[in-house]
Amino acid sequence: MNTSGPAEQGLRLIPFRGLRYVPERVGSLAAVTSPPYDVVVRPDGLHHLESADPHNIVRLILPQADTAAARHEQAAQTLGHWLAEGVLAPDPAPALYVYEQRNSEILQRGLIGALALSPAADGIVLPHEDVMAHVVEDRADLMRTTAAHLEPLLLTYRSDGRRTGTTAVIERTVARPPLLATTTEDGFSHRLWAVTDPAERDEIETDLTRHQALIADGHHRWATYLRLQQEQTGPGPWDFGLVLLVDTARYPLQVRAIHRLLHGLPVADALAALDGLFRIRSVEGPLPHALDALAGARAEGNAFLLAGDGGFHLVDRPDEALLTRTVPSDRPLAWRTLDATVLHSTLLDHVWQIPDAPEHIAYIHDTAAAVEQAERNNATAVLLHPVREEVVRDLARQGVTMPRKSTSFGPKPASGIVLRSLDLERD
């Protein structure tokens, strides 16, 4: 993405007093972290995190109660208790935070701060996926009730790759002792530093005004930020949202697919409906081998891997007349040929006639979990091949959004590393 532009239209990232876990009050920092709320595979993953430590962040981002209102009120009460008990405490001064994630293969560094909100039409923060209204409603009520941003979004921008500006500040900062360091069970090490020096913050501010950002992960939370901002009667902390900004010219992200679990559709029925419309072949497992077959087929056109009956079924080479009838023609070719577009416009809407609602479709990041849940519930898992990052970027630049949950960028920031209290900023 070409992220250069007029200074007045660029990114504005401001410091805030982060809420962080007090190490002496929890079992370990690793035990209180979680993946983002929409990555946690419920209920197994949720129960695992809840049992890891009584103060795991999942009790705030995915509270459990009988109703939505009760869940969100419980999260607010839990947050209040943890602050009163000293489990969470605000940092002494506002800061921008350098955040590092690393494993044996990946090194990612970026800045966590409060980003000035702007609508997509301004061209400063570009979404690339549609959102689901019920999810935005749920996240809005949770943020409104807790008056907090509990986990940062992941946004990317592209510099010219030189060690200047924000990059220079980050590389100087990581040579200093971190505020925290921990390693989570997925093998990632996490480190966090505070940037409080005014000169360094000015260096970052000047640099970021030359860039625009792509939402890599967190479209629903960004839409929630904008919705809650509109509810306010004047300027204040709701004009900013908690984000992690990563320069992908320095630290490229991985792009993975998000899979679909079709609750009420057995695999046999799914395949029968596709007969004559797609080529259907059984492929050998295990799952990695089947995914390799999917990757090979995707190089030639739209392809999907269906699972849930103990086997794997490669579905590709769709009937061209079917695509012409079912895929909207008023979008760019890159959008019309996305697997997610064909899945939703052709398969879900036309062939299988499945509404895009949570009682019918679940969106699952983990491939093995999608297959396991499909087999357990006599359902169909539709596994997709990832979209290339440059395709995502080009569509976003054109103002074209992809079907919801089309991509999963990572590594995602761990929830629980740093939180933002809006009440604290009103004091």
Side-chain angles (χ1 to χ4, degrees):
M1 180 184 299
N2 178 4
T3 56
S4 297
E8 65 272 12
Q9 295 182 356
L11 301 168
R12 182 184 173 210
L13 192 70
I14 68 169
F16 68 103
R17 289 180 64 194
L19 290 183
R20 295 190 296 110
Y21 280 99
V22 177
E24 295 78 14
R25 301 303 304 271
V26 297
S28 72
L29 291 174
V32 295
T33 64
S34 163
Y37 79 98
D38 58 338
V39 179
V40 177
V41 181
R42 303 170 71 177
D44 296 346
L46 179 64
H47 294 158
H48 172 72
L49 291 164
E50 287 180 330
S51 62
D53 189 284
H55 302 108
N56 189 283
I57 191 68
V58 77
R59 297 180 186 275
L60 299 182
I61 62 175
L62 285 174
Q64 299 300 293
D66 292 337
T67 67
R71 288 195 297 271
H72 303 149
E73 184 57 38
Q74 178 178 298
Q77 292 176 1
T78 300
L79 177 58
H81 291 325
W82 289 358
L83 288 167
E85 296 165 359
V87 174
L88 287 168
D91 281 332
L96 297 175
Y97 296 89
V98 172
Y99 176 49
E100 177 189 274
Q101 294 165 273
R102 181 197 293 264
N103 67 7
S104 59
E105 301 174 352
I106 298 170
L107 171 63
Q108 178 172 288
R109 290 172 178 153
L111 276 176
I112 294 177
L115 185 68
L117 303 182
S118 59
D122 288 355
I124 299 172
V125 176
L126 302 177
H128 70 268
E129 290 184 355
D130 295 329
V131 297
M132 294 174 270
H134 73 279
V135 178
V136 174
E137 174 64 33
D138 179 78
R139 290 295 103 180
D141 193 37
L142 176 63
M143 289 186 201
R144 192 185 297 114
T145 306
T146 59
H149 294 161
L150 303 171
E151 45 185 350
L153 285 63
L154 176 60
L155 273 62
T156 72
Y157 69 100
R158 291 189 68 82
S159 71
D160 58 12
R162 294 184 296 170
R163 295 184 180 182
T164 59
T166 302
T167 294
V169 174
I170 289 175
E171 296 194 358
R172 289 197 302 268
T173 301
V174 297
R176 306 166 187 161
L179 292 175
L180 68 83
T182 189
T183 300
T184 46
E185 63 181 10
D186 59 3
F188 271 95
S189 65
H190 306 260
R191 295 196 295 171
L192 190 77
W193 296 261
V195 178
T196 56
D197 180 79
E200 290 189 323
R201 295 211 305 241
D202 288 346
E203 195 173 350
I204 291 168
E205 179 180 356
T206 301
D207 179 39
L208 291 181
T209 57
R210 300 184 295 108
H211 299 293
Q212 62 182 175
L214 174 73
I215 302 175
D217 185 70
H219 282 81
H220 289 92
R221 284 167 285 164
W222 182 259
T224 300
Y225 289 166
L226 294 174
R227 174 172 176 171
L228 294 176
Q229 181 190 36
Q230 293 171 357
E231 296 177 1
Q232 308 309 307
T233 58
W238 294 98
D239 293 326
F240 298 83
L242 183 64
V243 306
L244 166 65
L245 270 177
V246 174
D247 175 8
T248 53
R250 301 287 298 178
Y251 303 104
L253 299 182
Q254 294 182 328
V255 187
R256 302 184 186 276
I258 302 176
H259 311 294
R260 275 62 169 164
L261 177 66
L262 310 181
H263 296 303
L265 183 66
V267 173
D269 293 347
L271 294 173
L274 295 176
D275 187 34
L277 302 175
F278 286 73
R279 182 175 68 169
I280 302 171
R281 293 175 288 161
S282 294
V283 296
E284 295 293 326
L287 178 58
H289 182 270
L291 290 173
D292 287 342
L294 173 63
R298 183 60 188 91
E300 302 176 8
N302 297 115
F304 309 93
L305 191 65
L306 273 55
D309 61 352
F312 298 101
H313 310 273
L314 186 61
V315 175
D316 65 354
R317 296 188 182 178
D319 178 72
E320 290 298 329
L322 173 68
L323 297 183
T324 300
R325 291 197 311 271
T326 57
V327 175
S329 59
D330 60 347
R331 304 286 185 90
L333 178 63
W335 182 90
R336 300 199 305 271
T337 55
L338 289 170
D339 285 338
T341 297
V342 173
L343 173 58
H344 283 262
S345 297
T346 303
L347 294 178
L348 295 176
D349 293 350
H350 181 80
V351 178
W352 293 327
Q353 297 183 0
I354 297 176
D356 190 0
E359 60 268 28
H360 298 287
I361 303 175
Y363 293 81
I364 300 179
H365 293 72
D366 185 87
T367 309
V371 174
E372 178 187 351
Q373 291 194 33
E375 292 178 347
R376 184 189 305 160
N377 298 296
N378 191 29
T380 295
V382 182
L383 309 181
L384 286 81
H385 190 65
V387 182
R388 290 179 294 113
E389 184 177 358
E390 53 266 33
V391 173
V392 178
R393 188 180 299 118
D394 287 345
L395 286 172
R397 187 188 295 125
Q398 297 175 59
V400 177
T401 55
M402 300 165 64
R404 60 194 66 172
K405 299 294 183 182
S406 293
T407 60
S408 177
F409 283 83
K412 304 178 191 303
S415 299
I417 296 295
V418 62
L419 294 67
R420 177 178 178 237
S421 167
L422 283 82
D423 280 341
L424 192 65
E425 296 180 26
R426 283 196 285 252
D427 291 346

